């Protein structure tokens, strides 16, 4: 029965392949089709989530019926179950939004790429094999390149070009890293690699070089400094719904993959120096992103920088090497996915309605589109980390975990960056509510979903315990490697 | 300018040295065939295929191949999405010589047949769906280059591409129904169809490779078509 969970992969695939056929039948059916497929995906992901969290056991999918390490297995543990659900829900929301936001042809190609972006991210978080991870990463990355340039403007082409070059180099680094690890161990299965590492069977120099290559390769997808120069351009140039997907789960999949591989090899020698590398990259990411956001004139670009800053915070939590840090990082991932999905959807909605996302367009938004403005404000206040909003709790936990791990400087720098963040967010809020004049603009049914997301943010903020419990279980899925190895039944070879 | 180059060379040397140090930790020639040995020893009775590479690629690690097929699909979709214009036509002006056009016409069926041969015999000889499909796409490329007005039937190609992809997933889903696992080789493992070494063998490998061959051929031809056409002002 549990093998049915492989539909998480099979459904988006087969539905993406069906789009060319559907286009010949009737073109106007494409967007409703997209909504229905993402809704079914949400249903499957919801069922998987329920199964995993009630039984407490991960769902293992054996592709082709081959047991690992001979075949490829998917490992849907607490983390993957949670994020498969997040991915599906965000995809559903963005599919609804696509009705309004996408009027550039060809919409059939858009629908295919959209479904495959969702598929790639789901595969990345579910796989239990590092080469398979590479394949899913390529699926995610190449759809992202194509979707970034989808609007076919000059700046979109430029952004996509930057992304494709950096992403290509990153992927090759990753592949070289995988080759090194395979050469040293003879296996590609994550559980078996972890076993090799814990028995001390990987030569320290190989583990270190291989791990550093993998981290560097993934850093492009995970938007870590200095490999994130493509991100603000891509966020700004991509179609609005796609930006929401980038921020809510594409970058998260990269971050998760990084954390997963990092913690699998935690017993390898030289591990702590790789952690230090990641710690430095993460702290610099936060500082640079927040300082850059301060001077932006375009709101979408500003939020893009803010998103990168938050991602740096998650990476910081993952680079601490403690269970508290990893759990806090996962909690922040969840909160950030909700908040940034809301922010980018709301900003995109304003952009579509008022024509553009320049700062001037947001003047007097509180009078023009009060409901959207309300949702946007909740998102903004939450990102800054004000108590009684969800991000406060995860930011707080990350900083406490950082201090506990003994890193005073990174904690101080990150706190400073939060102050910077508060400055530009409150400037935006001032613009929305206290300046400018405007006529009331009719807001469509889509606002309902924005309000629901905003209420969710407040609900988690007021009552964080359930969400925190979920995040803690998902976090220990990444951290407790011994458990992970135990859960994957490896065939003994030779 | 000069300084930049020297710095770059210096950096590359450092990275090269670092990689070499990593590589030195891998014992080349030593017996590290952990999973590889298993494949070589069990490939015939477990998959019914002679060609171990295709057996690994389609059967043991078929999930990766499904992903790679998807990557190619994305590439062709992406190109089509980015080059989309209302009206696009070929604008080539120079007519090819008679020798070229006649030669291409003659060669076209031969290349097609050879491409099909490659993907149908994937489980027996080197090759498989990807090289077979690429070979067929070169036949279309040849037609595009030899004739200034040649065009593939788009609608048909697009639909075929989609249907081929769907059949791949469907074969996998049938495996889920019959064998309980996605991408389970029901033709060999459940039905035991075929004799090893004959054309009818290798379980679902020839079936999937035929699907992949068709898919890759239509996709690459579509990319060629998209890239050769230019926008026409009305």
């Amino acid at each position: 029965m549990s093998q049915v969970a492989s539909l998480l992969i099979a459904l988006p695939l087969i539905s993406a392949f069906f789009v060319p056929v559907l286009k010949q039948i009737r073109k106007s059916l494409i967007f409703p089709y997209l909504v229905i497929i993402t809704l079914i995906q949400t249903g499957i992901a919801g069922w998987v989530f329920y199964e995993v969290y009630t039984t407490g056991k991960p769902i293992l999918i054996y592709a082709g019926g081959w047991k690992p390490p001979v075949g490829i297995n998917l490992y849907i543990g607490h983390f993957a179950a949670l994020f498969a659900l997040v991915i599906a829900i965000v995809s559903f929301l963005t599919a609804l939004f696509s009705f309004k936001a996408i009027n550039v042809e060809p919409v059939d190609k858009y629908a295919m790429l959209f479904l495959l972006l969702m598929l790639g991210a789901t595969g990345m978080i579910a796989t239990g094999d590092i080469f398979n991870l590479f394949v899913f990463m390529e699926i995610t990355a190449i759809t992202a390149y194509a979707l970034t340039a989808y609007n076919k403007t000059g700046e979109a082409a430029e952004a996509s070009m930057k992304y494709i070059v950096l992403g290509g180099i990153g992927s090759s680094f990753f592949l070289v890293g995988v080759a090194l690890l395979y050469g040293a161990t003879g296996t590609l299965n994550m559980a078996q690699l972890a076993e090799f590492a814990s028995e001390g069977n990987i030569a320290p120099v190989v583990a270190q070089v291989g791990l550093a290559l993998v981290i560097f390769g993934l850093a492009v997808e995970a938007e870590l400094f200095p490999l994130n120069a493509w991100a603000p351009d891509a966020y700004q140039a991509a179609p609005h719904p796609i930006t929401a997907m980038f921020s809510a789960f594409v970058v998260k999949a990269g971050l998760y993959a990084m954390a997963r591989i990092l913690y699998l090899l935690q017993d390898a020698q030289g591990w702590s120096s790789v952690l230090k590398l990641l710690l430095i990259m993460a702290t610099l990411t936060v500082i640079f992103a927040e300082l850059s956001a301060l001077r932006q004139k375009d709101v979408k670009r500003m939020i893009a920088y803010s998103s990168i800053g938050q991602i740096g915070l998650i990476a910081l939590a993952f680079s601490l090497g403690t269970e508290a840090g990893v759990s806090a990082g996962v909690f922040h991932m969840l909160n950030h996915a909700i908040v940034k999905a809301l922010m980018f959807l709301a900003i995109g909605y304003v952009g579509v309605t008022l024509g553009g996302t320049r700062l001037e367009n947001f003047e007097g938004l509180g009078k023009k589109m009060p409901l959207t403005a309300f949702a946007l404000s909740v998102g903004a206040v939450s990102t800054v980390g004000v108590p009684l909003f969800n991000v406060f709790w995860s930011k707080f936990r990350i900083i406490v975990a950082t201090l506990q791990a003994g890193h005073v400087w990174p904690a101080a720098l990150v706190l400073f960056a939060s102050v910077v963040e508060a400055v530009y967010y409150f400037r935006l809020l001032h613009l929305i509510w206290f300046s400018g004049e405007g006529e009331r603009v009719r807001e469509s049914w889509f606002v309902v979903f924005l309000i629901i997301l905003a209420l969710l943010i407040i609900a988690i903020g007021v009552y964080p315990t359930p969400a925190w419990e979920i995040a803690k279980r998902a976090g220990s899925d990444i951290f407790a490697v011994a458990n992970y190895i135990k859960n994957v039944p490896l065939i003994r070879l030779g | 300018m000069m300084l930049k180059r020297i710095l770059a060379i210096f950096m590359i040397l450092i990275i090269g040295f670092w990689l070499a140090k990593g590589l030195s930790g891998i014992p080349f020639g030593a017996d590290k065939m952990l999973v590889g040995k298993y494949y070589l020893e069990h490939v015939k009775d477990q998959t019914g295929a002679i060609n171990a590479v295709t057996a690994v690629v389609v059967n043991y690690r078929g999930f990766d191949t499904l992903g790679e097929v998807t990557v190619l699909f994305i590439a062709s979709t992406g190109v089509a999405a980015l080059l989309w214009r209302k009206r696009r036509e070929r604008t080539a002006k120079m007519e090819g010589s008679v020798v070229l056009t006649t030669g291409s016409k003659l060669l076209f069926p031969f290349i097609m047949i050879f491409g099909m041969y490659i993907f149908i015999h994937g489980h027996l000889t080197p090759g498989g769906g990807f090289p077979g499909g690429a070979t067929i796409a070169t036949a279309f490329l040849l037609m595009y280059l030899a004739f200034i007005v040649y065009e593939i039937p788009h609608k048909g190609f697009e639909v075929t591409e989609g249907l081929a992809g769907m059949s791949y997933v469907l074969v996998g889903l049938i495996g889920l129904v019959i064998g309980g696992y996605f991408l389970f080789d029901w033709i060999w493992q459940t039905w035991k169809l075929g004799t090893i070494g004959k054309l009818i063998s290798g379980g679902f490998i020839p079936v999937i490779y035929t699907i992949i061959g068709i898919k890759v051929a239509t996709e690459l031809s579509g990319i060629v078509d998209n890239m050769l056409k230019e926008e026409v002002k009305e």
Side-chain angles (χ1 to χ4, degrees):
Chain A
M1 185 61 196
S2 64
Q3 296 297 319
V4 176
S6 53
L7 282 177
L8 278 180
I9 304 293
L11 175 77
L13 256 183
I14 201 166
S15 10
F17 291 143
F18 180 67
V19 175
V21 184
L22 183 74
K23 182 190 154 200
Q24 303 301 332
I25 301 171
R26 210 195 184 126
K27 220 170 154 195
S28 60
L29 287 176
I30 285 174
F31 277 133
Y33 172 77
L34 204 55
V35 171
I36 291 169
I37 295 298
T38 46
L39 192 64
I40 300 174
Q41 177 86 353
T42 310
I44 301 170
W47 168 71
V48 168
F49 178 80
Y50 177 78
E51 280 289 305
V52 170
Y53 274 81
T54 47
T55 59
K57 291 244 176 319
I59 295 179
L60 281 140
I61 294 164
Y62 307 110
W66 306 106
K67 296 284 179 309
V70 171
I72 294 168
N73 71 296
L74 298 186
Y75 180 96
I76 306 185
H78 287 95
F79 183 91
L82 173 63
F83 268 84
L85 185 61
V86 170
I87 290 171
I89 293 175
V90 173
S91 301
F92 171 65
L93 291 177
T94 44
L96 281 174
F97 184 43
S98 299
F99 267 109
K100 233 181 141 46
I102 300 297
N103 41 27
V104 180
E105 283 289 338
V107 288
D108 58 313
K109 309 280 187 245
Y110 172 85
M112 290 184 228
L113 293 171
F114 180 100
L115 285 171
L116 293 172
L117 187 64
M118 175 174 87
L119 162 91
T122 311
M124 268 177 92
I125 59 160
T127 189
D129 184 284
I130 50 172
F131 186 77
N132 196 235
L133 174 64
F134 173 75
V135 172
F136 277 117
M137 188 174 109
E138 286 296 279
I139 292 180
T140 317
I142 298 174
T143 32
Y145 306 149
L147 283 168
T148 302
Y150 184 80
N151 281 340
K152 298 190 263 291
T153 57
E155 60 171 356
E158 189 194 329
S160 178
M161 189 69 197
K162 277 185 199 162
Y163 189 8
I164 204 168
V165 171
L166 260 176
I169 296 171
S171 306
S172 9
F173 268 93
F174 182 84
L175 196 58
V176 174
V178 169
L180 269 180
L181 290 175
Y182 179 71
T185 60
T187 185
L188 291 167
N189 188 274
M190 288 183 182
Q192 200 167 29
L193 271 175
E195 213 173 56
F196 268 101
S198 66
E199 286 161 3
N201 279 342
I202 304 182
V205 61
V206 180
Q208 211 171 4
V209 174
L211 201 55
L213 282 170
V214 166
I215 300 279
F216 240 77
L218 283 167
V220 177
E221 284 308 307
E223 297 168 14
L224 294 187
F225 184 83
L227 301 169
N228 56 4
W230 61 270
D233 290 349
Y235 276 58
Q236 190 181 9
H240 299 307
I242 300 304
T243 311
M245 290 169 90
F246 279 179
S247 175
F249 62 74
V250 173
V251 49
K252 305 269 177 357
L255 262 178
Y256 157 75
M258 198 179 224
R260 173 62 94 195
I261 296 181
L262 192 65
Y263 282 91
L264 284 177
L265 299 180
Q266 59 181 282
D267 292 319
Q269 269 177 334
W271 188 65
S272 57
S273 52
V274 179
L275 270 194
K276 267 195 205 102
L277 169 80
L278 189 59
L279 180 77
I280 293 168
M281 283 166 80
T283 314
L284 288 177
T285 307
V286 180
I287 302 289
F288 277 91
E290 299 296 9
L291 286 177
S292 313
L294 198 55
R295 330 178 14 147
Q296 296 309 319
K297 295 269 182 291
D298 187 292
V299 176
K300 201 172 167 197
R301 197 176 176 84
M302 188 175 102
I303 308 301
Y305 273 114
S306 156
S307 175
I308 296 169
Q310 302 288 322
I311 295 300
L313 210 57
I314 300 170
L316 173 70
F318 285 148
S319 68
L320 298 173
T322 61
E323 177 147 24
V326 176
S327 301
V330 173
F331 193 26
H332 198 59
M333 260 170 136
L334 177 65
N335 286 335
H336 180 254
I338 301 170
V339 172
K340 278 298 182 306
L342 166 68
M343 294 295 274
F344 279 114
L345 286 176
I347 287 167
Y349 184 64
V350 174
V352 169
T353 318
L354 303 181
T357 55
R358 307 272 311 165
L359 214 45
E360 301 94 78
N361 288 351
F362 285 77
E363 248 176 282
L365 191 72
K367 294 173 191 104
K368 287 184 216 159
M369 305 164 76
L371 293 172
T372 316
F374 164 73
L376 201 58
S377 310
V378 171
V381 173
S382 177
T383 317
V384 175
V386 173
L388 293 182
F389 291 91
N390 63 354
V391 172
F392 167 75
W393 298 105
S394 47
K395 253 191 187 174
F396 179 70
R397 282 188 192 278
I398 287 176
I399 288 174
V400 169
T402 312
L403 289 173
Q404 275 171 351
H407 302 298
V408 180
W409 266 108
L413 286 170
V414 164
L415 270 178
F416 162 71
S418 282
V419 177
V420 176
E421 193 166 46
V423 173
Y424 65 80
Y425 268 115
F426 283 113
R427 196 179 59 197
L428 176 68
L429 286 179
H430 179 84
L431 210 61
I432 288 177
W433 294 106
F434 302 111
S435 73
E437 289 299 314
E439 290 284 298
R440 181 82 193 257
V441 180
R442 218 174 73 84
E443 292 162 286
S444 74
W445 49 268
F446 186 69
V447 174
V448 176
F449 292 97
L450 297 181
I451 299 288
I452 292 175
L453 281 176
L455 291 180
L456 187 64
I457 288 173
I458 297 174
I460 296 179
V462 176
Y463 198 59
T465 321
W468 168 240
E469 287 300 323
I470 290 173
K472 229 167 44 183
R473 291 174 78 174
S476 79
D477 187 34
I478 299 178
F479 187 78
V481 173
N483 238 336
Y484 179 85
I485 299 173
K486 211 176 70 203
N487 280 333
V488 181
L490 293 166
I491 318 177
R492 296 291 140 201
L493 304 170
Chain B
M1 200 55 209
M2 198 59 198
L3 190 69
K4 224 174 170 179
R5 238 176 244 174
I6 292 171
L7 270 176
I9 291 172
F10 193 63
M11 277 295 291
I12 291 170
L13 282 179
I14 292 178
I15 294 175
F17 174 74
W18 180 66
L19 280 178
K21 223 178 98 191
L23 276 173
S24 71
I26 296 173
F28 281 100
D31 188 17
K32 276 287 178 190
M33 297 264 289
L34 187 66
V35 189
K37 210 163 167 184
Y38 179 92
Y39 290 146
L40 291 179
E41 280 166 4
H42 297 85
V43 64
K44 271 200 213 160
D45 54 304
Q46 285 188 341
T47 68
I50 303 283
N51 184 342
V53 176
T54 50
V56 171
V57 167
V58 180
N59 208 325
Y60 290 113
R61 296 183 63 90
F63 210 49
D64 281 342
T65 306
L66 185 57
E68 286 304 335
V69 169
T70 312
V71 167
L72 207 57
F73 179 68
I74 297 166
S76 86
T77 312
V79 168
L82 299 190
L83 297 179
W84 189 91
R85 294 283 183 282
K86 260 237 154 63
R87 233 163 70 85
R88 282 154 49 80
E89 257 171 33
R90 296 202 52 201
T91 49
K93 292 202 175 64
M94 187 101 91
E95 190 94 44
S97 72
V98 186
V99 180
L100 178 67
T101 50
T102 320
S104 308
K105 258 192 214 160
L106 280 174
L107 266 177
F108 182 75
F110 284 102
I111 303 178
M112 289 288 271
I113 289 177
F114 184 60
M116 287 182 215
Y117 164 79
I118 294 177
F119 68 63
I120 292 170
H121 290 79
H123 54 302
L124 303 170
T125 57
F130 290 95
T135 308
I136 292 179
T138 55
F140 287 108
L141 176 63
L142 188 67
M143 296 307 271
Y144 267 100
L145 294 183
F147 295 93
I148 51 174
V149 284
Y150 182 79
E151 239 185 274
I152 54 165
H154 299 268
K155 260 190 195 163
F157 265 50
E158 255 179 36
V159 172
T160 315
E161 182 188 338
L163 288 178
M166 284 176 77
S167 349
Y168 192 165
V169 186
L170 268 182
V171 170
L173 287 176
I174 294 173
L176 181 64
V177 174
I178 295 182
Y181 298 102
F182 184 53
L183 290 176
F184 183 78
D185 185 357
W186 37 284
I187 297 177
W188 181 257
Q189 309 245 23
T190 314
W191 296 355
K192 286 277 171 215
L193 197 70
T195 20
I196 298 171
K198 292 275 163 54
L199 181 61
I200 307 280
S201 72
F204 68 13
I205 296 175
V207 177
I208 285 187
Y209 261 158
T210 305
I211 292 169
I212 293 179
I214 293 169
K215 195 163 165 50
V216 170
T218 46
E219 263 157 17
L220 293 181
S221 314
I223 292 180
V224 167
D225 176 82
N226 266 307
M227 290 201 159
L228 273 177
K229 288 205 272 180
E230 284 168 71
E231 187 177 6
V232 185
K233 297 266 181 304
E234 272 127 59

